[in-house]
Amino acid sequence: MKKLVVITGASSGIGMDLAKSFSNEGHPVLMIARRKEIMENLNLPESISKSVDVVDYENMEKAIREAEEKYGKTDLLVNCAGVMLLGHPDTQSYEEWERMIDVNVKGILTGTKVVLKDMMERNEGTIINISSIAGRKTFDNHSVYCGSKFAVHAITESMRKEVSDKNVRIIVISPGVVETNLLSHTTDEEIKDNYNDWKKSIESGLDVKQITDCVMFAYKQPQSVCVREIVIAKTKQAD
Ligand code: NDP
């Protein structure tokens, strides 16, 4: 059997496509998100679905250790869970800011903490953080979302360097707009409408499959080769 792949945010969008694709390729998969039923209904062979909030370290550790007992140590962790709550700093609630920082930043640290030490001891393993083009440049109404994704870039780059001597790869993938439910959680209807109007200029977002291809490409390099970052967007997405 191939090695264990752990994917957060597997109940929707990019994470769900990653779970299906790694499963198709014969990997046992641990799927983590809060909505367990959706993941269970995928009926993926050799898979475990766990309803865990990525911010909850204790339950992240429990879920990953349970999967590792069954399938062996985690070879790939994809930190994909995230929320994008667009808003103007004047009007956006503190709760939305807090949620973005918690899920997008702390949420990549929990799983990392659980698997990293083992990976370093084994001199192999890969962690892929799904950031965003909003982790490289700023956009209107994105200030805290951008802040959270800039943090993902900084953490990835710094950790990548710090564990490189142990042959562990830490990678960041930064997509532009992708067709998923990500925008639906934004509560400001005017901002959502403006975003959808702007999106018409690029016709549509990327397909989730294009992000999966990037993850697969990076993961399938020999362990001695680290694709440090991939930035991908629709050709017509100028910003
Ligand atoms: P979706 O909204 O389709 O999926 C988000 C996933 O994150 C869901 O599975 C959701 O599961 C999970 N999630 C959210 N909060 C939590 C939490 N507290 N604990 C556990 N899981 C959680 O969006 P995408 O697939 O588009 O997003 C995936 C990643 O890609 C995000 O990090 C996003 O920032 C990034 N991205 C997306 C882009 C896009 O245009 N779509 C562009 C650039 C980056 P559940 O609700 O069941 O917990």
Side-chain angles (χ1 to χ4, degrees):
M1 194 190 297
K2 288 193 178 172
K3 292 175 180 169
L4 174 64
V5 174
V6 176
I7 299 166
T8 71
S11 65
S12 177
I14 299 168
M16 180 187 280
D17 193 65
L18 285 169
K20 288 190 214 161
S21 302
F22 275 101
S23 179
N24 271 344
E25 298 221 348
H27 288 272
V29 173
L30 167 62
M31 293 179 279
I32 293 174
R34 291 162 304 173
R35 290 167 296 164
K36 183 175 168 183
E37 208 181 308
I38 300 179
M39 299 183 288
E40 280 179 340
N41 287 343
L42 296 175
N43 282 318
L44 301 181
E46 305 298 352
S47 71
I48 298 176
S49 303
K50 287 286 175 188
S51 172
V52 178
D53 188 317
V54 283
V55 175
D56 177 353
Y57 178 77
E58 222 170 89
N59 281 316
M60 282 290 286
E61 184 175 35
K62 239 164 102 183
I64 293 172
R65 296 290 175 237
E66 187 185 319
E68 289 183 335
E69 258 176 47
K70 195 162 176 201
Y71 297 119
K73 290 291 180 189
T74 305
D75 193 50
L76 171 64
L77 164 66
V78 187
N79 285 312
C80 185
V83 284
M84 180 178 78
L85 308 167
L86 303 184
H88 194 274
D90 255 15
T91 48
Q92 191 164 25
S93 69
Y94 179 77
E95 187 278 330
E96 291 196 352
W97 288 352
E98 188 177 40
R99 190 141 52 96
M100 277 187 284
I101 298 290
D102 278 352
V103 178
N104 298 353
V105 184
K106 291 189 200 163
I108 68 160
L109 298 177
T110 49
T112 298
K113 186 71 195 164
V114 177
V115 301
L116 186 60
K117 196 161 173 276
D118 281 343
M119 287 181 174
M120 291 171 74
E121 281 168 11
R122 300 197 317 274
N123 286 286
E124 67 170 12
T126 304
I127 297 173
I128 299 183
N129 294 323
I130 306 298
S131 181
S132 169
I133 214 156
R136 306 187 107 248
K137 55 199 290 192
T138 58
F139 296 85
D140 288 348
N141 298 314
H142 279 62
S143 50
V144 176
Y145 182 69
C146 283
S148 70
K149 293 300 191 179
F150 270 65
V152 174
H153 274 72
I155 291 165
T156 307
E157 180 59 15
S158 185
M159 279 193 190
R160 182 196 58 69
K161 190 172 166 195
E162 285 164 332
V163 304
S164 56
D165 62 327
K166 299 293 182 198
N167 209 36
V168 173
R169 304 182 296 190
I170 308 201
I171 293 167
V172 61
I173 294 184
S174 315
V177 183
V178 187
E179 289 299 330
T180 69
N181 294 326
L182 190 70
L183 181 67
S184 66
H185 305 288
T186 289
T187 49
D188 186 316
E189 294 303 324
E190 195 183 335
I191 291 176
K192 268 202 279 201
D193 289 346
N194 290 341
Y195 187 97
N196 282 323
D197 281 346
W198 166 77
K199 218 174 79 175
K200 287 180 194 147
S201 70
I202 59 169
E203 287 155 13
S204 65
L206 295 164
D207 190 281
V208 288
K209 295 252 165 288
Q210 280 138 355
I211 312 307
T212 296
D213 286 349
C214 293
V215 170
M216 288 286 179
F217 171 77
Y219 179 61
K220 286 180 180 177
Q221 300 303 310
Q223 184 72 40
S224 59
V225 176
C226 181
V227 175
R228 295 182 184 184
E229 176 170 5
I230 297 177
V231 184
I232 178 171
K234 286 298 286 284
T235 307
K236 287 193 173 178
Q237 183 175 338
D239 289 320

